[in-house]
Amino acid sequence: MAIKTKDLNARLFGKADKRRATNVAEAQTAAKDKAAVIELAIAGEETVAFELIKINAAEVKTKTQIFSQNAREQAFLTEHALADILVTLKDRGQQYPAVGRWLEDGQIEVLDGSRRRMSCILAEKDFLIYVAKGINTEHAKFLSDVANAHKPLSLFERGKEMQALLDNGKVTDQKELAKYCQCSEALVSGALKAASLPMELLLAYPSVGELGRPTIVKLHRIYFGLAGQQQQQLIEQLASADSAMWKRIDAQGITRITREVTMQLEQMGDSLQPKLLVEKAKAQELVKGKVTFTRDGDKLQLKLKKMSDRQVEDILAYLNDYLK
């Protein structure tokens, strides 16, 4: 007697809810329904079966790691940066499983879902992830890049990718980079400025993804307006604090906290600016015992002693005539 496909799936996988996803919509539906196994065609090439795994909350940090080529900077994933999914996850648990691959040491490498992983860690919730074997690095990068399209990268993260394109010779300048990335040259300039900033400066903010070009330009001016030694002092001040600057701000809401952080960083930058010692102009003697003068830039101050009325009148008349 022939075994039906669904019955065969049930014997192979222990459940009959296996899905084959041929497009993004089908994959999302399967993920939402939490099918035990889904099949995905990666980069339009081979089809791979992913099995749904649940990792206990206490083991998420130790049993999983992030794909090394993931463009999203993990240090930026704070409570504020994850606010859009953290509230729901705390109340109802993880709604959409992440996607990953098995590594040879038994670890799971997260390709799609680094934000969900960190949210589960912060909320102390179980982590759901579809995992497959035999995914090569090229396909892993494809899955990671597609995932990042769901939540836009920060200017810093985009800038890192753009700088890599410049460094490896993929493009030659910012104008060509703008065409390659299909964005404005202003965005390219802002992103590259962001990528040049030290992490300590960016981590002073509650959500780096919320920093727009005006703030990035201001930070660039603050940091690169300092000499090398002063830059190091600024970084040391930020790194030596017990907690991130944004956590010490007495304000509510990302916008207000962000503004306060920027103001404090400006004050720190100003305090580190080297103070120029201006030597006070000294009086010089022109006529011994009678006339001294002080020159300060384009200013000239004369001090005359023992002058008769006639001498005063003559000097004033001469100056009046000479300076007309």
Side-chain angles (χ1 to χ4, degrees):
M1 180 178 177
I3 300 177
K4 294 181 179 180
T5 301
K6 65 178 182 178
D7 294 329
L8 178 59
N9 288 337
R11 292 185 184 183
L12 290 174
F13 301 106
K15 292 184 179 180
D17 50 348
K18 179 178 180 180
R19 303 287 184 86
R20 178 184 293 275
T22 58
N23 56 52
V24 175
E26 290 179 3
Q28 289 177 339
T29 300
K32 183 178 180 180
D33 294 341
K34 298 184 179 64
V37 176
I38 60 173
E39 292 182 337
L40 299 176
I42 304 176
E45 299 177 11
E46 60 181 304
T47 300
V48 179
F50 289 79
E51 181 182 5
L52 184 62
I53 302 292
K54 182 171 78 170
I55 303 173
N56 292 333
E59 299 177 315
V60 177
K61 187 178 289 188
T62 57
K63 286 193 173 182
T64 67
Q65 62 187 61
I66 303 301
F67 179 47
S68 61
Q69 296 184 41
N70 191 326
R72 199 174 298 284
E73 177 54 59
Q74 300 304 299
F76 296 160
L77 299 183
T78 65
E79 295 93 330
H80 284 283
L82 297 168
D84 57 320
I85 61 174
L86 195 53
V87 174
T88 302
L89 191 141
K90 285 179 178 179
D91 292 341
R92 305 183 217 169
Q94 185 180 347
Q95 298 300 298
Y96 291 90
V99 175
R101 65 174 177 173
W102 288 106
L103 298 178
E104 292 183 359
D105 61 359
Q107 282 268 313
I108 293 176
E109 190 172 56
V110 180
L111 307 175
D112 170 6
S114 65
R115 300 179 78 247
R116 279 164 281 175
R117 173 184 178 271
M118 183 55 71
S119 293
C120 286
I121 292 173
L122 293 174
E124 298 181 348
K125 296 288 186 179
D126 295 341
F127 182 48
L128 300 175
I129 182 170
Y130 282 110
V131 192
K133 295 180 179 179
I135 296 180
N136 61 39
T137 302
E138 181 183 352
H139 286 170
K141 185 73 168 75
F142 171 82
L143 289 170
S144 179
D145 289 345
V146 169
N148 286 332
H150 301 321
K151 177 72 175 179
L153 296 174
S154 66
L155 276 176
F156 174 87
E157 292 159 338
R158 295 192 68 177
K160 285 293 186 183
E161 291 190 323
M162 292 177 180
Q163 188 60 57
L165 291 172
L166 287 169
D167 292 343
N168 64 28
K170 192 90 173 181
V171 294
T172 57
D173 54 30
Q174 291 191 24
K175 187 172 184 179
E176 190 175 338
L177 189 55
K179 290 181 180 179
Y180 184 88
C181 296
Q182 297 182 337
C183 62
S184 68
E185 290 185 48
L187 191 148
V188 168
S189 176
L192 291 176
K193 278 185 170 66
S196 69
L197 295 171
M199 288 287 291
E200 291 86 352
L201 201 62
L202 296 168
L203 290 174
Y205 289 89
S207 178
V208 179
E210 301 295 325
L211 300 182
R213 288 199 301 274
T215 301
I216 290 297
V217 170
K218 187 174 292 186
L219 287 177
H220 192 272
R221 185 175 66 249
I222 292 171
Y223 183 71
F224 289 99
L226 298 172
Q229 185 177 355
Q230 284 72 43
Q231 288 178 349
Q232 187 60 35
Q233 289 177 347
L234 176 61
I235 296 305
E236 289 174 356
Q237 287 183 28
L238 292 171
S240 63
D242 295 334
S243 59
M245 182 180 288
W246 67 267
K247 293 183 178 180
R248 307 193 300 272
I249 300 294
D250 185 18
Q252 298 294 322
I254 288 181
T255 301
R256 188 174 174 187
I257 295 174
T258 297
R259 184 169 60 247
E260 291 292 328
V261 169
T262 302
M263 290 174 61
Q264 287 198 21
L265 289 175
E266 283 183 303
Q267 292 171 3
M268 290 174 67
D270 289 341
S271 67
L272 290 171
Q273 285 285 0
K275 302 296 185 291
L276 298 177
L277 297 176
V278 180
E279 187 176 351
K280 189 175 181 180
K282 296 180 180 179
Q284 300 181 54
E285 193 171 52
L286 181 63
V287 178
K288 190 173 181 179
K290 295 189 70 175
V291 183
T292 59
F293 71 93
T294 303
R295 175 74 184 275
D296 183 10
D298 61 351
K299 299 176 183 178
L300 177 65
Q301 184 179 25
L302 290 171
K303 189 172 183 180
L304 299 91
K305 299 179 181 178
K306 302 175 183 178
M307 303 295 292
S308 65
D309 291 342
R310 177 64 182 272
Q311 288 175 316
V312 171
E313 290 176 2
D314 288 346
I315 290 173
L316 293 177
Y318 172 76
L319 289 174
N320 183 57
D321 182 62
Y322 182 78
L323 297 176
K324 277 185 179 178

